[in-house]
Amino acid sequence: VQLQASGGGSVQTGRSLRLSCAASGFTVGTHAIGWFRQAPGKEREGVACIPTGGISTYYGGSVKGRFTISSDSAKNTVYLQMNNLTAEDTAVYFCAADRGLRCYPGMRYWGQGTEVTVSS
């Protein structure tokens, strides 16, 4: 199982980015897949989750209404669309996956992280 995160970069406040998490070794939809982030000096926090089955989505409170998680089964990829970015969104973003119904900090498989920097 491998997860390849990409799409990070440096943007100005209010702009958008889309992160991608390409999965291999399993089929998207058979695992819960989540996005987490870790800012300098802060603990890792959950950002968004698609539980196994891909029917529902869940978001952390600070990103609700601005971020959207989605999956593309044809590309076996999960995306995180991030709109109206603020400096508080600056962090390294990780995607993670595990069998089971939900996302949690100790998920079994992790991608390498992609860095997002938001500046004014």
Side-chain angles (χ1 to χ4, degrees):
V1 171
Q2 287 190 333
L3 299 169
Q4 182 73 36
S6 62
S10 297
V11 296
Q12 292 184 318
T13 302
R15 302 302 290 269
S16 300
L17 277 176
R18 188 178 76 161
L19 305 183
S20 300
C21 178
S24 59
F26 70 97
T27 301
V28 166
T30 65
H31 288 53
I33 299 179
W35 284 98
F36 297 78
R37 67 185 182 185
Q38 188 164 20
K42 295 186 177 180
E43 294 186 354
R44 187 173 295 182
E45 66 169 327
V47 175
C49 175
I50 291 185
T52 300
I55 296 176
S56 302
T57 56
Y58 298 93
Y59 299 93
S62 62
V63 307
K64 197 173 295 184
R66 300 187 298 122
F67 289 13
T68 303
I69 188 171
S70 62
S71 64
D72 184 335
S73 58
K75 296 183 178 180
N76 214 37
T77 298
V78 171
Y79 300 99
L80 184 68
Q81 177 67 42
M82 307 186 295
N83 298 329
N84 194 22
L85 287 161
T86 72
E88 287 68 39
D89 297 315
T90 295
V92 178
Y93 285 71
F94 301 88
C95 57
D98 203 344
R99 287 191 178 276
L101 298 178
R102 61 182 182 87
C103 302
Y104 61 103
M107 298 182 84
R108 183 172 181 180
Y109 306 108
W110 289 81
Q112 83 287 6
T114 184
E115 189 167 3
V116 173
T117 303
V118 185
S119 59
S120 58

